């Protein structure tokens, strides 16, 4: 049996000019994952990375820890199928959420803004996954997103040798969709599950010819509680 270690990216920079860059906490989460894997003696045969900056920077943080220890780390291969879905852009087009707080306000105000954003995001995302909210022109539909993930899983599985360990760095929606692929979950179950995927957590799957099964989901044993984040 081969094994896939599917990693959600570390904490990004919500409300900053560039959300896609990791926060300082995100960089520490990546290093914690690298140290944890090294302590377990994990050596990977292949590493896949999605196209988003936060996905690449998470993989880079782990790679840096392996490099400091002179431990083997495969040259990462880009896999566009690991990119996140267009949910945030669907929300932007819906008119459901309008930003009120400006950067630099108090932590309490920033937290209130974050909660308001995610309440709107969850409402629109559920409707979008159920087919009750239209996909704006030029964006990938929810159904196409799930098909893309299924194709990406097939590519990872087909390219792996017998008994290999594969790491893949992606986003929360993708992790949930891969879990949905393994367990046969419906669309609303997948989108709801995606909100429970913490930053820099690992979900593992075992696979062989004709089989792809869940082994563990959303594990965070390598992260101190203070590093349990969701953005």
């Amino acid at each position: 049996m081969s094994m896939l270690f599917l990693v959600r990216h570390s904490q990004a920079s919500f409300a900053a000019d560039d959300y896609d860059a990791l926060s300082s906490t995100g960089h520490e989460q990546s290093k914690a994952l690298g140290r944890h894997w090294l302590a377990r003696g994990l050596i990977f045969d292949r590493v896949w990375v999605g196209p988003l900056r936060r996905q690449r920077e998470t993989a880079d943080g782990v790679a840096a820890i392996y490099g400091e220890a002179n431990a083997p780390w495969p040259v990462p291969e880009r896999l566009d199928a690991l990119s996140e879905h267009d949910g945030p852009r669907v929300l932007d087009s819906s008119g459901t959420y309008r930003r009120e707080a400006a950067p630099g306000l108090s932590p309490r105000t920033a937290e209130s803004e974050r909660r308001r954003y995610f309440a709107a995001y969850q409402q629109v995302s559920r409707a979008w996954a159920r087919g009750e909210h239209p996909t704006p022109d030029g964006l990938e539909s929810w159904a196409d997103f799930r098909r893309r993930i299924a194709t990406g899983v097939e590519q990872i599985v087909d390219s792996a040798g017998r008994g290999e360990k594969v790491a893949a760095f992606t986003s929360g929606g993708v992790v949930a969709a891969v879990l949905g692929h393994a367990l046969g979950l419906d669309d609303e179950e997948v989108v709801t599950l995606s909100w429970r995927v913490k930053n820099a957590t690992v979900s593992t799957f075992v696979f062989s010819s004709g089989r792809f099964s869940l082994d563990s989901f959303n594990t965070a044993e390598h992260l101190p509680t203070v590093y349990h984040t969701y953005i």
Side-chain angles (χ1 to χ4, degrees):
M1 299 292 289
S2 300
M3 180 167 283
L4 169 64
F5 293 73
L6 192 62
V7 181
R8 189 201 171 187
H9 65 78
S10 299
Q11 186 188 61
S13 300
F14 182 74
D17 290 339
D18 185 3
Y19 166 78
D20 208 22
L22 292 189
S23 67
S24 57
T25 293
H27 287 292
E28 290 303 317
Q29 290 168 331
S30 300
K31 294 174 185 176
L33 176 57
R35 289 190 290 267
H36 173 71
W37 276 354
L38 269 180
R40 289 182 56 189
L42 285 174
I43 300 298
F44 294 92
D45 299 284
R46 199 159 193 167
V47 174
W48 296 97
V49 183
L52 302 178
R53 178 177 176 179
R54 58 191 182 272
Q55 299 166 344
R56 298 194 307 270
E57 288 187 350
T58 302
D60 289 345
V62 175
I65 296 299
Y66 272 68
E68 290 171 4
N70 292 318
W73 183 258
V75 175
E77 301 173 74
R78 172 168 165 157
L79 182 59
D80 287 348
L82 294 173
S83 188
E84 183 61 291
H85 58 64
D86 286 317
R89 295 170 67 190
V90 173
L91 173 62
D92 289 344
S93 72
S94 72
T96 304
Y97 170 79
R98 288 290 182 268
R99 182 178 177 84
E100 295 177 355
L105 295 183
S106 70
R108 178 177 294 182
T109 302
E111 176 62 16
S112 175
E113 187 72 13
R114 187 189 70 81
R115 290 180 181 275
R116 196 171 66 86
Y117 173 88
F118 282 104
Y121 179 69
Q122 291 175 3
Q123 175 188 343
V124 170
S125 295
R126 279 198 177 99
W128 182 48
R130 291 194 301 262
E132 298 169 2
H133 191 287
T135 301
D137 291 344
L139 297 187
E140 178 185 54
S141 70
W142 176 261
D144 285 343
F145 165 69
R146 291 207 64 180
R147 282 190 285 269
R148 166 165 62 84
I149 299 311
T151 300
V153 169
E154 291 174 3
Q155 182 174 346
I156 291 171
V157 168
D158 290 346
S159 65
R162 183 176 181 180
E164 287 192 346
K165 291 182 176 64
V166 180
F169 293 82
T170 186
S171 295
V174 178
V175 173
V178 174
L179 184 61
H181 176 79
L183 300 180
L185 303 180
D186 67 30
D187 293 315
E188 191 164 1
E189 287 173 324
V190 168
V191 75
T192 301
L193 186 65
S194 69
W195 305 325
R196 303 310 309 159
V197 185
K198 299 183 183 74
N199 294 121
T201 54
V202 183
S203 299
T204 57
F205 301 84
V206 293
F207 61 91
S208 60
S209 179
R211 178 183 175 187
F212 186 81
S213 304
L214 175 68
D215 181 63
S216 66
F217 171 65
N218 204 28
T219 59
E221 59 184 331
H222 53 288
L223 298 174
T225 303
V226 70
Y227 284 161
H228 287 198
T229 60
Y230 292 88
I231 296 175

